[in-house]
Amino acid sequence: MPSLGVHRRARETPVTVPLPCVLIMSPPSRAHVLDRATKIRLCSGRTTWSTEPVEALGLRSIVMTDGPHGVRRTTTDAAIIAADPATCFPTAAGLGATWDRDLLVEVGEAIGREAAAHGVSVVLGPGANIKRHPLGGRNFEYLAEDPLLTGELAASLIEGTQRTGVGTSLKHFVANNQESMRMVVDVVVDERALREIYLAGFERAIRRAQPWTVMCAYNRLNGTYCSDDRRLLTSILRDEWGFEGVVVTDWGAANDRVQGIRAGLDLEMPGNEGANDPVIAAALETGELVDSDLDTVVDRLIHLIARGNRAVDGSAADSPGPDDAMFDRHHELACRAAAESAVLLTNDGVLPLDASGTIAVLGGFATEPRFQGAGSSQVTPTRVDTLLDAVRNRVGAAGRIMHAQGYDPVDDVSRDDLIDEAVLVARAAEVAIAIVGLPSTYESEGFDREHLRLPDEHHRLVRAVCDVNPNTVVVLANGAPVQLPWVDRPRAVLDAYLGGQGGGTGLARVLFGDVDPGGRLAETFPLRQDDHGSDAWFPGTGRQVQYRESIHVGYRWFDTVDSPVLFPFGHGMSYTTFEYADLEATTSATSVVVTNTGDRAGTEVVQLYVRRPDSQINRAAQELKAFAKIRLEPRESVTVTLELDDRAFAHWDVRRNRWSVEPGPAQIAVGSSSRDIRLVTTIDVSGDRPEPTASDAGPAAPTSAADLRDDARFAALLEHPIPAPDDVEPFDRNSTLAEVSVTGLGRGLRAGAIKAARRQLGDMDEVTAKFIDRMMGEAPMRSMVLLGGGRLSWVNLDRMIAAMNAARRVSGLRRRVLRRR
């Protein structure tokens, strides 16, 4: 869509937010030149990270590797080990807080260049799952709690990476919003929530940027594994949205390989010595699968592999890898991204700091920073800027810098001596900077967080330092919201998220005012965990999780039930102030004049929310529908034009199975956060459907968490009875290793799987060990074949399952006999 006109005033700069579109051309079929055995072999990987080559067409295998915030190119097939050095950018939680499309294009481009130099053709990222609950263990890998913000920023990362000729993998499709039981859990969600919240970010990113691949999630969606779901992978993804790339499994996510091919699942990863090749061949012989289905998959794979060959030709194929000059440029970009990620939560004027006097830098993270998340996304950084070194470099000879550890950066153990030392240092300083946050043992892929609290020693440090130094600044290093019971005590609180390898330098630039704090929260910070509408149903019970809050996720929930929050969605302070004026709105665009009224250059994120207070439909109080990040010099004004697409006023019409617009008045609310609305105007919206009836409207919007406990209400949202969770027994291929551990054979299998994983990975830290132990308990039995590297066949797995079921039947018979006695 072309940008609308911008009327320029004296000293004004036009800003507009475009809506690009992508034209995709389908390649001609080449599957017919291959024999059936070759076609079958292409449907799964060759190794953990590479595809099969297509020798008949002169195509080499291509490498895919993790990379949501940096290239994790490993040199062996072990899944979680140290990788070759690459630039570690802020994790998605920080990149999401930038609200900066242009910056994310730059970051994506840098990741793509390093990937090509490392011989990588497809980067496995970005993640576009919604932050349904702040305890989600992998929230640091996701961008926002809002689908529009998620989709726009994911599209920018994809666009930047694919400019370099390297592909991306948008993940994890879909509703992978927790780590607990992630490989088998059934997500029970109503259609409106699925369309408006969980699919919408993926849809926006795909329509805008067309990633080469989409990665299907482990979990089930309303009873069907995502890898088997034809409606999801074909009807919605391809037929509705026009996606023409490859659908790849998350590693080990294939459930029924034949059903997967019919559903639209192309590539099974990782390689497992062709464990499913005989299954596919047998299905072709019996007619359960037809050759045209296989050819469709193979054509898409050939196209991907050909593109992947071009991605690395002339770069990594002929060079040893990225050079120092590239790493230097990208490190500076990482520092800039870290500064743009930093969210100034509170400030009574102490920031920005003077680069003089005596400054205390306190906390174990100041010298051993927590700068990225734990799990499969861990990048081996090319260097790491610590906060202590960055502050020293910034201050130089103009001031005196002191440091005390305050707490152990890894273990949450009580150390009075460390606290006492920090108090002495803080008391002797003019300003104290205390950095606290979440160790990797608190948040990681593989397990969800247990609570919103920081480690006790971090809380102790903040309180003790505030007691002796009235000029205390607290810096947070965390991948998701935390509780701050002392929030009113420091003079400023700055959330650095997980700022990547340039986090220390980026923070110093913000603390001393070299740059304006550019971040705004992409998620709500609640006062308490149970304030979230989703809390009572997170992470569910065993194999099922019910999304009873429906569309009311994040700020939608808090604003609809009028609940107080610690910090609202979109919040973030600047070192200057901004004035909003002259709001003009239509159904296609809104313009507003924003003026920097301070004496410093500054950054603002202009946010547009749509409200339908008179709607007959169950709606959230307001929804983000457009945004723009602007930078203004002192006293400068700018006219910001925010374009609205055809979804701005639409809801998913379950009865008609399409997007519909309800006619009537709509409020356009513009401001600097969801709770800081500066201007509101009302426009009239023309609908494409008649006034809703009672059956169209569905249950009313919730007024409190008590409404969500009504089973009848949730059944009405689902339009069918609430399904019962699966029975644990009898065991099958999707029984978890923990579930079968009630048998002697099952206990042995689980112990053997943990031992094998630890032997493969070698020495590992505490969090990796915890991740492996949890994964080995919650992995389904089929993972022993899919992730076993050919060591176990389906036939032998089924024999073991039959033996365990027989053992349980004998055990049950014995119990019944004993009870009769």
Side-chain angles (χ1 to χ4, degrees):
M1 180 186 295
S3 61
L4 302 178
V6 177
H7 302 285
R8 188 179 180 85
R9 295 185 179 186
R11 303 196 65 200
E12 287 182 3
T13 306
V15 176
T16 190
V17 182
L19 296 171
C21 60
V22 179
L23 179 64
I24 309 165
M25 302 299 292
S26 299
S29 173
R30 288 186 280 180
H32 66 279
V33 304
L34 306 178
D35 60 75
R36 180 182 278 184
T38 300
K39 294 177 189 178
I40 293 172
R41 192 168 63 250
L42 285 175
C43 293
S44 60
R46 183 181 67 168
T47 68
T48 298
W49 303 111
S50 66
T51 68
E52 291 283 353
V54 192
E55 294 172 354
L57 298 175
L59 298 176
R60 306 179 303 278
S61 66
I62 64 170
V63 173
M64 313 167 83
T65 195
D66 290 315
H69 56 271
V71 180
R72 197 177 70 85
R73 177 70 160 103
T74 61
T75 53
T76 78
D77 269 358
I80 304 175
I81 60 170
D84 293 336
T87 306
C88 181
F89 293 96
T91 68
L95 294 176
T98 70
W99 292 62
D100 193 327
R101 297 175 177 89
D102 294 338
L103 176 64
L104 267 64
V105 170
E106 289 187 67
V107 170
E109 190 169 359
I111 291 173
R113 292 187 190 282
E114 291 190 18
H118 276 300
V120 171
S121 296
V122 177
V123 172
L124 302 177
N129 291 108
I130 295 298
K131 300 183 184 189
R132 175 179 176 246
H133 192 284
L135 296 189
R138 212 170 180 179
N139 278 1
F140 60 84
E141 274 196 55
Y142 299 135
L143 292 160
E145 68 184 20
D146 178 81
L148 180 135
L149 182 57
T150 291
E152 287 291 298
L153 297 183
S156 295
L157 283 167
I158 294 165
E159 178 186 342
T161 303
Q162 295 187 171
R163 274 184 186 176
T164 68
V166 170
T168 58
S169 191
L170 187 64
K171 62 184 188 180
H172 306 87
F173 191 62
V174 65
N176 186 173
N177 307 116
Q178 64 188 59
E179 293 299 283
S180 300
M181 298 292 284
R182 64 173 175 167
M183 298 186 80
V184 296
V185 70
D186 185 14
V187 174
V188 181
V189 58
D190 68 278
E191 187 69 9
R192 271 197 67 195
L194 180 63
R195 290 286 190 161
E196 295 183 19
I197 304 297
Y198 299 103
L199 288 174
F202 285 94
E203 178 182 7
R204 183 171 290 269
I206 287 166
R207 290 186 183 275
R208 272 198 55 199
Q210 280 296 333
W212 288 13
T213 73
V214 167
M215 182 188 292
C216 77
Y218 288 117
N219 53 277
R220 287 184 291 170
L221 180 66
N222 290 324
T224 303
Y225 279 97
C226 291
S227 63
D228 295 346
D229 196 332
R230 180 174 177 80
R231 175 174 177 262
L232 186 65
L233 302 184
T234 295
S235 299
I236 294 175
L237 182 61
R238 300 186 189 280
D239 297 343
E240 289 187 27
W241 300 351
F243 175 67
E244 293 198 359
V246 161
V247 175
V248 59
T249 65
D250 202 341
W251 268 226
N255 177 49
D256 180 327
R257 192 65 188 99
V258 173
Q259 174 56 28
I261 289 174
R262 290 200 302 257
L265 174 65
D266 302 308
L267 179 61
E268 175 192 355
M269 292 296 287
N272 49 38
E273 300 297 326
N276 274 319
D277 288 5
V279 177
I280 297 172
L284 289 166
E285 290 297 325
T286 63
E288 184 183 2
L289 189 67
V290 296
D291 283 292
S292 60
D293 290 334
L294 182 61
D295 285 352
T296 298
V297 165
V298 170
D299 276 332
R300 291 194 287 250
L301 290 170
I302 290 171
H303 183 54
L304 172 69
I305 295 168
R307 296 172 91 180
N309 278 205
R310 291 193 294 271
V312 298
D313 283 344
S315 55
D318 302 313
S319 72
D323 57 31
D324 290 342
M326 174 187 289
F327 281 147
D328 288 343
R329 293 192 303 273
H330 292 173
H331 181 71
E332 172 54 33
L333 176 60
C335 295
R336 182 154 55 92
E340 291 296 326
S341 299
V343 183
L344 186 57
L345 299 176
T346 68
N347 183 28
D348 72 355
V350 68
L351 294 181
L353 299 174
D354 260 341
S356 62
T358 303
I359 300 174
V361 180
L362 310 170
F365 286 167
T367 54
E368 297 180 55
R370 173 100 197 284
F371 60 92
Q372 64 175 324
S376 63
S377 67
Q378 283 182 287
V379 176
T380 301
T382 61
R383 68 192 83 169
V384 177
D385 295 351
T386 70
L387 178 60
L388 180 60
D389 286 344
V391 171
R392 283 174 172 160
N393 292 337
R394 176 62 178 80
V395 173
R400 178 186 175 209
I401 307 301
M402 301 186 296
H403 170 65
Q405 189 176 28
Y407 57 82
D408 187 298
V410 177
D411 297 318
D412 185 18
V413 294
S414 182
R415 292 282 303 273
D416 291 343
D417 58 324
L418 295 182
I419 296 289
D420 292 343
E421 179 191 11
V423 167
L424 288 174
V425 171
R427 184 180 282 120
E430 296 170 60
V431 174
I433 303 170
I435 181 167
V436 296
L438 297 175
S440 56
T441 52
Y442 273 55
E443 57 177 352
S444 168
E445 178 184 354
F447 53 86
D448 293 316
R449 291 165 62 195
E450 298 176 2
H451 50 72
L452 289 180
R453 299 187 301 276
L454 298 176
D456 291 341
E457 292 303 284
H458 295 227
H459 287 303
R460 285 185 65 198
L461 176 66
V462 171
R463 292 187 174 104
V465 171
C466 288
D467 284 344
V468 300
N469 193 316
N471 294 320
T472 296
V473 175
V474 172
V475 175
L476 299 174
N478 51 294
V482 293
Q483 286 180 324
L484 306 175
W486 37 256
V487 68
D488 294 328
R489 299 199 61 193
R491 291 192 62 191
V493 179
L494 180 67
D495 194 341
Y497 276 104
L498 301 178
Q501 67 180 56
T505 296
L507 270 174
R509 291 175 182 176
V510 173
L511 289 168
F512 292 98
D514 300 326
V515 297
D516 200 47
R520 302 295 185 268
L521 293 180
E523 56 197 331
T524 305
F525 274 46
L527 289 170
R528 295 171 301 276
Q529 173 185 325
D530 58 6
D531 287 343
H532 262 270
S534 61
D535 185 64
W537 293 274
F538 180 90
T541 55
R543 288 170 157 267
Q544 186 189 80
V545 56
Q546 298 175 6
Y547 284 23
R548 293 206 176 201
E549 73 281 0
S550 184
I551 61 173
H552 301 284
V553 177
Y555 72 91
R556 287 169 166 81
W557 168 260
F558 291 102
D559 292 347
T560 301
V561 302
D562 194 24
S563 175
V565 299
L566 181 60
F567 297 110
F569 175 80
H571 172 73
M573 302 176 70
S574 168
Y575 290 152
T576 185
T577 54
F578 297 92
E579 182 181 272
Y580 288 59
D582 299 338
L583 178 65
E584 297 181 3
T586 69
T587 56
S588 59
T590 292
S591 66
V592 63
V593 176
V594 181
T595 302
N596 179 352
T597 55
D599 297 324
R600 302 175 58 96
T603 299
E604 176 70 319
V605 176
V606 182
Q607 302 164 40
L608 185 156
Y609 297 86
V610 169
R611 301 168 173 172
R612 301 298 300 269
D614 298 324
S615 176
Q616 300 302 305
I617 302 294
N618 170 13
R619 293 183 185 271
Q622 59 182 2
E623 297 180 301
L624 181 74
K625 294 300 179 182
F627 66 92
K629 189 168 189 176
I630 58 174
R631 294 170 176 82
L632 297 180
E633 296 300 315
R635 311 299 173 183
E636 183 182 9
S637 292
V638 63
T639 298
V640 181
T641 298
L642 298 159
E643 296 182 347
L644 297 173
D645 61 22
D646 56 3
R647 294 285 174 80
F649 305 98
H651 69 280
W652 183 257
D653 190 328
V654 177
R655 299 289 179 180
R656 294 164 179 81
N657 196 38
R658 64 176 175 86
W659 293 96
S660 292
V661 176
E662 179 187 12
Q667 292 180 354
I668 303 296
V670 176
S672 61
S673 85
S674 60
R675 296 280 175 101
D676 185 9
I677 300 299
R678 307 292 182 85
L679 299 171
V680 179
T681 189
T682 300
I683 61 174
D684 190 62
V685 176
S686 298
D688 61 359
R689 51 164 290 173
E691 292 289 343
T693 64
S695 61
D696 292 328
T703 59
S704 71
D707 292 339
L708 306 186
R709 290 192 283 271
D710 183 351
D711 288 351
R713 183 182 188 279
F714 188 48
L717 286 171
L718 295 173
E719 297 201 320
H720 59 71
I722 302 171
D726 289 346
D727 293 329
V728 173
E729 296 183 35
F731 304 131
D732 58 27
R733 291 180 179 182
N734 284 316
S735 297
T736 69
L737 288 169
E739 289 168 344
V740 302
S741 291
V742 296
T743 68
L745 177 56
R747 285 190 295 275
L749 289 172
R750 181 179 182 182
I754 293 173
K755 183 178 180 180
R758 290 183 169 180
R759 183 172 59 248
Q760 182 185 24
L761 298 178
D763 293 336
M764 63 182 76
D765 57 25
E766 179 185 351
V767 68
T768 304
K770 182 177 179 180
F771 167 55
I772 293 298
D773 289 352
R774 182 69 64 87
M775 184 173 72
M776 289 299 103
E778 296 185 351
M781 292 286 289
R782 59 181 158 87
S783 297
M784 300 182 68
V785 175
L786 300 179
L787 301 176
R791 290 183 289 272
L792 182 67
S793 69
W794 290 115
V795 171
N796 286 333
L797 176 68
D798 289 341
R799 286 172 178 165
M800 288 192 295
I801 293 171
M804 288 186 286
N805 280 325
R808 292 298 286 170
R809 286 194 295 271
V810 170
S811 176
L813 178 60
R814 287 174 179 166
R815 288 194 298 270
R816 288 194 294 273
V817 169
L818 289 173
R819 281 198 297 269
R820 291 192 192 105
R821 291 178 180 174

